[in-house]
Amino acid sequence: MGLSNFDVTVGLIIRTTEHPEKVSAIMGVQRSPSGNLHCSYEKGMCNAEEHIWIYRTRYEVQTDVEACIKRFLSDVPEFPSRIAEIKKIGECVLRVSIVSIYAQLGFALSPDILKALFDMNIPIEMTVLSFGNCVDE
């Protein structure tokens, strides 16, 4: 992994009392057979009636966080209108996680992507984890 490279995971987490298959139908995304990356379901930890539907993608050795977010949003056609339908049956959050082995980490989001995220009107969680290593020169 180079100095400006990092791993990015973008995910959509939906909490609802509806059956996860209904969420999958609205989002047009089916559960992954392995249940790990892409689409998975869980039971709510605090509420036995709640289901947690998770769709996530990991992008390894990246240099542009915004490109990863755009790719994630474009993987599901009509993503904003699907989110509007989901908000009728539950709560959702977009989670972006960035992991780097170096301390030197920075990224920017353009006004266009910020507007697209703002227009969906859902919370966005940003997590940055840096292991603080330095480059030996």
Side-chain angles (χ1 to χ4, degrees):
M1 195 186 283
L3 174 62
S4 62
N5 294 340
F6 37 83
D7 293 342
V8 178
T9 302
V10 183
L12 179 68
I13 296 106
I14 298 169
R15 295 177 184 278
T16 181
T17 55
E18 296 288 339
H19 192 277
E21 290 297 334
K22 182 171 184 173
V23 176
S24 290
I26 293 170
M27 292 303 297
V29 176
Q30 295 305 311
R31 183 178 190 169
S32 299
S34 63
N36 44 14
L37 284 183
H38 298 300
C39 182
S40 61
Y41 316 142
E42 299 174 8
K43 270 300 224 180
M45 295 185 63
C46 298
N47 178 351
E49 300 298 316
E50 182 180 68
H51 296 279
I52 301 169
W53 186 95
I54 302 167
Y55 178 66
R56 64 179 170 248
T57 303
R58 182 174 181 190
Y59 306 96
E60 295 180 350
V61 191
Q62 298 296 308
T63 58
D64 185 355
V65 173
E66 182 168 319
C68 297
I69 295 171
K70 284 181 179 178
R71 198 170 346 155
F72 180 83
L73 297 178
S74 68
D75 283 347
V76 177
E78 303 170 355
F79 194 92
S81 61
R82 292 175 190 266
I83 293 298
E85 287 300 309
I86 290 296
K87 287 170 43 180
K88 294 176 183 175
I89 63 166
E91 299 175 359
C92 53
V93 62
L94 187 71
R95 181 176 294 160
V96 180
S97 301
I98 305 160
V99 178
S100 173
I101 63 170
Y102 296 106
Q104 302 87 345
L105 174 67
F107 67 94
L109 299 176
S110 70
D112 289 342
I113 195 71
L114 289 172
K115 182 173 179 348
L117 295 171
F118 176 81
D119 288 346
M120 282 190 287
N121 195 28
I122 62 173
I124 301 168
E125 296 177 357
M126 302 288 277
T127 303
V128 178
L129 178 60
S130 167
F131 289 101
N133 292 340
C134 294
V135 177
D136 293 330
E137 294 191 44

